[in-house]
Amino acid sequence: VVEARRLGVRRFTVDVLLRCLAHWQRTTGATDRSPETLLGSVAPGGEGELPQWLPLLYDFLRRRLRPKHVSALRSLPLFCTAAPDGTRTLASAAAAPPLVPSVLPSLALPASRSGAVRVVSGGDGAKELLVALGGAPPDAAAVVRAVVAQHAAVQFGSPAACLAGLELVQSHWSSFLEDEASRARAAGADDDGARDAALSWAKAALCIPCTDGAARTAAEVHVSSV
């Protein structure tokens, strides 16, 4: 609002807000910075909470979002994410690894540890805006899909991250396959074929850490019986 007034704006619209946010990003270097550092001095929340005005921002954008706004909003660091060590940063909807909305607590920590996704906090407003901007839905299937894609690109940061992803896939495999089948049915395709294709993709992509320090696909691994 302060920036809008500086620009001489009388009516506050999404287009005006985008100009203000773009200026804020350029002048603060907001991407991958702590939200407390960047936003807390403007409108502080309680300890460990998001700044009080950020949920209002999500709601304003979600209700007034138009297709012409999506590309610009995807590039702005509007979403608060938390690392396994509790460090919070701001990231954009176009960030890599991909952002996913708040998920079940039993899923959030292993998902974050895998490094395949970054989990967004901020309640329903953040979730709805992220999905509207093309983000993944807040479910186990989306996270499994991100883990398989991460393994296919061999982009996990450590053996521990690799194992966290494998454990997540093992726990939520059936949800992933059913989601693939559901997507196929919605597109008028064969759901059994979709399951088979998803299985083949995962078998070719998923990597297993080995005793020599390398990570290999299941077809290349010998499992000791001892």
Side-chain angles (χ1 to χ4, degrees):
V1 173
V2 171
E3 179 63 17
R5 288 175 177 169
R6 188 188 70 80
L7 294 172
V9 172
R10 295 187 178 184
R11 184 165 177 249
F12 204 63
T13 66
V14 174
D15 295 291
V16 171
L17 181 57
L18 283 173
R19 290 170 59 193
C20 296
L21 289 170
H23 176 73
W24 166 71
Q25 182 184 22
R26 287 193 304 270
T27 55
T28 61
T31 303
D32 288 328
R33 293 275 302 281
S34 160
E36 289 83 2
T37 300
L38 288 167
L39 306 177
S41 61
V42 178
E47 184 177 354
E49 296 177 359
L50 290 174
Q52 294 170 355
W53 61 266
L54 200 52
L56 299 177
L57 175 68
Y58 296 146
D59 185 61
F60 178 88
L61 290 171
R62 180 184 57 79
R63 288 188 288 110
R64 293 166 175 80
L65 184 66
R66 298 293 181 268
K68 67 176 183 177
H69 301 132
V70 170
S71 178
L73 282 171
R74 281 182 55 80
S75 69
L76 291 169
L78 302 178
F79 300 98
C80 181
T81 70
D85 63 1
T87 302
R88 300 202 302 176
T89 58
L90 289 172
S92 72
L99 305 186
V100 295
S102 298
V103 290
L104 295 173
S106 60
L107 183 61
L109 187 57
S112 182
R113 284 175 173 166
S114 75
V117 297
R118 288 196 278 184
V119 179
V120 171
S121 57
D124 289 343
K127 176 179 70 177
E128 292 171 5
L129 179 60
L130 181 59
V131 172
L133 294 177
D139 57 34
V143 178
V144 170
R145 194 172 292 109
V147 170
V148 177
Q150 176 200 45
H151 279 233
V154 197
Q155 289 182 339
F156 39 83
S158 66
C162 180
L163 284 172
L166 290 174
E167 291 169 2
L168 194 151
V169 169
Q170 182 181 28
S171 298
H172 301 283
W173 179 247
S174 59
S175 296
F176 168 61
L177 289 182
E178 182 51 41
D179 188 67
E180 290 292 305
S182 177
R183 287 176 169 220
R185 285 193 297 270
D190 174 42
D191 53 351
D192 288 334
R195 286 192 184 92
D196 291 342
L199 178 60
S200 297
W201 177 47
K203 286 174 64 176
L206 291 174
C207 298
I208 300 171
C210 300
T211 55
D212 64 355
R216 298 180 174 84
T217 63
E220 302 173 290
V221 172
H222 171 72
V223 180
S224 173
S225 59
V226 179

